[in-house]
Amino acid sequence: MRVNFTVNGRQQEADDVWEGESLLYVLRERMGLPGSKNACEQGECGSCTVRLDGVPVCSCLVAAGQVQDREVVTVEGLADYAKHREDSHPGGACGSVCGGTSLQEARQWQARPADRVTDGQTGEGGELSPIQQAFIDAGAVQCGFCTPGLLVAADELLERNASPSDADIREALSGNLCRCTGYEKILDAVRLAAARQEETV
């Protein structure tokens, strides 16, 4: 079958897709977007998390045919997606809940100039999204295998909740496993991104 869908803001077409082929396989092998990782293939680890019509999903569990005429955002498209969101809704998040790290506490990390990263489709230069920069600044990236899924899930959290509590962050990331850390630096990164987001509002 042929599947037409939007990936990172661009119309895409995948031909000769068989019924059991996953969205993860199509993204990695057909579209050349290797950011979403192929780990457990059972929806348990979160390494393949992408946004499907704005909702985080494990792309290993989504049949490619299910994305016909839908929108997918992968880790490669986070920077473009964040820029579009900021242009459309200055300040970023849709709502706010009390809690999280204060701005003063978050200032222990100083933002560095944004590193160069890939654009949503070609893998060539562009700026990092706020959550990507926060992961770097907070030292939350280790081996990097779980990082794409964590970034996508954290970005979605911060879009809907400008000031997440620690419980909110833990719940949002509960479907993402990391074998390298005790998760504290990852939580720090989300707190930092939330604090910076509040600062710009």
Side-chain angles (χ1 to χ4, degrees):
M1 80 178 114
R2 173 177 295 153
V3 181
N4 293 287
F5 60 113
T6 304
V7 181
N8 299 330
R10 295 188 176 122
Q11 281 298 123
Q12 297 290 342
E13 181 177 282
D15 282 324
D16 299 324
V17 175
W18 62 282
E19 296 83 23
E21 200 165 312
S22 70
L23 173 59
L24 176 62
Y25 183 86
V26 169
L27 292 171
R28 288 180 60 82
E29 306 301 329
R30 294 177 180 267
M31 306 279 162
L33 296 169
S36 304
K37 300 298 184 247
N38 186 1
C40 73
E41 294 186 335
Q42 297 177 7
E44 295 291 331
C45 71
S47 294
C48 66
T49 303
V50 299
R51 291 182 73 171
L52 179 59
D53 293 338
V55 178
V57 298
C58 291
S59 59
C60 70
L61 298 181
V62 177
Q66 291 179 287
V67 300
Q68 177 69 34
D69 299 324
R70 297 176 79 182
E71 180 182 0
V72 174
V73 176
T74 70
V75 69
E76 290 92 344
L78 275 187
D80 289 341
Y81 190 71
K83 182 171 180 354
H84 169 74
R85 181 172 56 228
E86 182 61 30
D87 291 346
S88 301
H89 307 284
C94 305
S96 137
V97 176
C98 293
T101 302
S102 71
L103 291 177
Q104 190 62 27
E105 292 170 24
R107 286 190 181 115
Q108 64 181 309
W109 297 294
Q110 293 299 313
R112 297 188 299 265
D115 297 352
R116 304 301 284 175
V117 76
T118 60
D119 93 8
Q121 195 59 37
T122 64
E124 299 304 319
E127 289 193 357
L128 295 171
S129 72
I131 190 66
Q132 289 170 318
Q133 188 63 53
F135 262 63
I136 291 170
D137 293 345
V141 179
Q142 291 198 23
C143 84
F145 205 81
C146 67
T147 305
L150 285 162
L151 289 168
V152 172
D155 183 72
E156 188 274 339
L157 166 66
L158 294 174
E159 180 179 309
R160 66 182 159 81
N161 185 348
S163 301
S165 67
D166 283 356
D168 295 330
I169 297 169
R170 289 175 188 276
E171 182 178 348
L173 302 184
S174 64
N176 298 79
L177 301 179
C178 175
R179 294 174 58 128
C180 296
T181 73
Y183 295 94
E184 198 53 45
K185 292 291 187 184
I186 294 166
L187 298 174
D188 287 345
V190 181
R191 293 178 192 120
L192 176 60
R196 287 176 178 168
Q197 183 172 282
E198 282 182 359
E199 227 172 17
T200 63
V201 174

